[in-house]
Amino acid sequence: MGRLRRGRATLAAGAAMCALMALPGQAAAAGTPSPYAFDDRAMPVEGAKNSMGSAKLTPGSTYKSSLARGEKLYYQLQLDARETVYVSATAVPGLDSQVVYGDGVEVSLQDANGNNCNSQDARFGTSQSPRPITAWAVREVGPAENRCKSAGTYYAVVERNSRPGSSTETWDTELRVVSEPAVAKGASTTPPESWNSASPTPPGGERKERRGGTGFNDARALRTGVWGDRIEPGETLFYRVPVDWGQQISASAELGSASGGEGDYVTSAFVMSLANPVRARIDDADTAYDGKQKSTALKPVAPVAYENRYSPIDGVAGTRFAGWYYLSVHLNPQVARQFGKAPLDLTLRVNVDGTAKAGPAYEGTARPADQFSVTGQDKDAAARGDTAAGDGGGDGGGSGNADVMKVVAAGGFGAGTVLLMVLGVWTLIGRRRAAGRA
């Protein structure tokens, strides 16, 4: 009897999967590898062509959407007068997309009167290589802010900038909304006048293997040390490093030599980026590749401090809170055409300097908000090399229903949709059993 029940449960899960695969466009999508690991819990949301009727986003949540060529989409937020809110949009072109220098994505936060609170953009730049890129915007509340301070309706506007020569397919996007509490006590609004901006000495020692993730959501945890991996042409790998208040992160990356392709040359072949806990880009660096080993390093960034946010310098303003900082590395697909498709050796040298300090006193908590702190669990995760998805070195096992949920998340469907499908299958089974007994 137990086997029969398990068989029916498997039938229900399988039927739900079949129903999903039968939906228009899903079969093709299922056979196409994604260059980015979307959050399994991301809620599907459709952007509006104008502010009226735009879907509501909630701080603390992640969403999956899409963005057509030249499209400008609106999403709504209801904000109070105390919270600073960050909205990021990660745009994910397909692996075979064609992008040019000026292609990219822009995010703006606007109030109900159309006033622009803040906007930032991200471009593919000289690499002209399709990869996940992230733009962000912030609605800040504080003594130094004179606009967008009132409670009420705000709009996140996500726009795709396209140039002649780029391909026309729609990009998937991941939207992340993060709220930062107000500080309970007055914090300094004066950015640091000086800090150690000398190029740090990269760490030496034994190279330990750690496989990177393919997005913010499965980024592999690292701590100070020398870490090894392999990267394929066209691939983007993500890592995360816990950086506490008062600490300073630095990183460099080395790409191994290739066999063959002597005399060939790829401009901006290898791109390395640093982003803060709300996915805001702080710095990036790139290097050309001619088949010989190459290295690149990020510019020095300031130690983490609350008052950094008031600096006009990206390398200072971006290090405004403690938490997980994200490193990503990308290898231009042109490398495959010049030097072959084989993956190349990758070495990351990561250093976190400085003694951790107490963070600001956020309202409603005796310690910094979890999003903007480094806990003992975070340090343990970095020591083990956990991913942000929390694999913890486990066996990766799971139930059939969990596998269905992963398929659904990848397809942009919510858990409720799957639940209805599974319940529908169970209802059908129940009716057939009842008919058999009659």
Side-chain angles (χ1 to χ4, degrees):
M1 196 64 187
R3 289 181 181 176
L4 180 60
R5 289 195 183 105
R6 284 194 294 271
R8 284 170 177 158
T10 301
L11 174 62
M17 287 186 69
C18 290
L20 283 170
M21 299 303 290
L23 291 173
Q26 292 305 302
T32 304
S34 174
Y36 180 83
F38 285 89
D39 188 344
D40 286 346
R41 298 163 298 178
M43 294 173 281
V45 64
E46 186 174 347
K49 301 290 186 183
N50 57 60
S51 60
M52 296 294 103
S54 52
K56 183 180 177 181
L57 306 183
T58 303
S61 301
T62 305
Y63 302 86
K64 186 176 181 182
S65 192
S66 61
L67 196 60
R69 192 176 194 271
E71 197 166 39
K72 183 177 183 179
L73 299 178
Y74 290 77
Y75 306 86
Q76 183 184 147
L77 301 101
Q78 293 294 323
L79 305 181
D80 63 26
R82 299 293 299 166
E83 58 187 337
T84 292
V85 173
Y86 302 86
V87 177
S88 66
T90 300
V92 186
L95 291 169
D96 298 324
S97 295
Q98 178 67 42
V99 298
V100 298
Y101 181 92
D103 284 350
V105 63
E106 181 175 351
V107 178
S108 304
L109 269 173
Q110 300 175 358
D111 67 13
N113 290 313
N115 298 312
N116 200 42
C117 307
N118 178 258
S119 62
Q120 303 286 339
D121 65 5
R123 310 278 175 161
F124 294 101
T126 55
S127 72
Q128 300 188 66
S129 178
R131 63 186 188 277
I133 57 172
T134 302
W136 63 283
V138 58
R139 179 267 202 162
E140 290 193 87
V141 174
E145 297 301 321
N146 297 317
R147 55 184 175 176
C148 299
K149 296 177 66 172
S150 302
T153 302
Y154 289 80
Y155 297 94
V157 185
V158 182
E159 185 173 4
R160 177 173 163 183
N161 299 305
S162 301
R163 298 293 183 269
S166 59
S167 51
T168 61
E169 69 275 4
T170 296
W171 296 346
D172 288 331
T173 56
E174 183 171 73
L175 309 177
R176 176 69 180 156
V177 186
V178 177
S179 174
E180 182 186 20
V183 289
K185 297 179 181 179
S188 172
T189 59
T190 304
E193 295 182 1
S194 62
W195 47 276
N196 183 12
S197 59
S199 297
T201 302
E206 180 185 359
R207 180 178 183 264
K208 299 179 181 178
E209 297 296 316
R210 284 215 177 153
R211 179 63 182 163
T214 57
F216 291 104
N217 305 294
D218 68 347
R220 181 71 63 181
L222 305 176
R223 59 179 178 178
T224 295
V226 183
W227 308 103
D229 204 343
R230 289 174 70 78
I231 185 169
E232 297 179 4
E235 192 171 34
T236 304
L237 299 178
F238 285 75
Y239 309 85
R240 58 187 186 134
V241 183
V243 186
D244 213 337
W245 298 98
Q247 293 185 323
Q248 186 176 18
I249 183 174
S250 60
S252 62
E254 301 162 18
L255 190 63
S257 58
S259 57
E262 187 174 345
D264 291 327
Y265 187 85
V266 178
T267 304
S268 296
F270 185 49
V271 182
M272 182 181 192
S273 299
L274 174 67
N276 69 18
V278 297
R279 306 183 179 182
R281 186 189 68 86
I282 299 174
D283 186 31
D284 50 34
D286 62 67
T287 184
Y289 189 67
D290 59 2
K292 300 177 182 178
Q293 62 272 18
K294 298 295 177 185
S295 66
T296 188
L298 299 167
K299 299 190 195 88
V301 298
V304 173
Y306 184 87
E307 59 269 22
N308 288 351
R309 66 193 60 214
Y310 302 109
S311 172
I313 304 170
D314 287 345
V316 178
T319 55
R320 62 180 61 196
F321 25 53
W324 288 104
Y325 280 69
Y326 296 91
L327 292 168
S328 63
V329 290
H330 172 76
L331 186 59
N332 196 315
Q334 292 184 28
V335 170
R337 292 191 281 271
Q338 303 292 345
F339 303 99
K341 297 181 179 180
L344 298 175
D345 282 319
L346 169 67
T347 299
L348 294 171
R349 299 183 185 272
V350 178
N351 202 24
V352 178
D353 286 318
T355 302
K357 300 178 180 178
Y362 285 108
E363 283 187 351
T365 179
R367 59 183 177 81
D370 287 343
Q371 179 80 17
F372 309 116
S373 67
V374 173
T375 65
Q377 289 87 350
D378 294 336
K379 295 175 184 177
D380 291 341
R384 291 189 302 263
D386 292 354
T387 69
D391 68 359
D395 60 11
S399 68
N401 288 343
D403 291 336
V404 173
M405 292 306 294
K406 290 179 181 179
V407 171
V408 172
F413 293 88
T417 303
V418 174
L419 181 60
L420 289 174
M421 290 178 176
V422 173
L423 289 176
V425 173
W426 273 110
T427 301
L428 179 61
I429 291 171
R431 286 176 179 172
R432 286 179 176 174
R433 290 177 63 189
R437 288 194 298 266

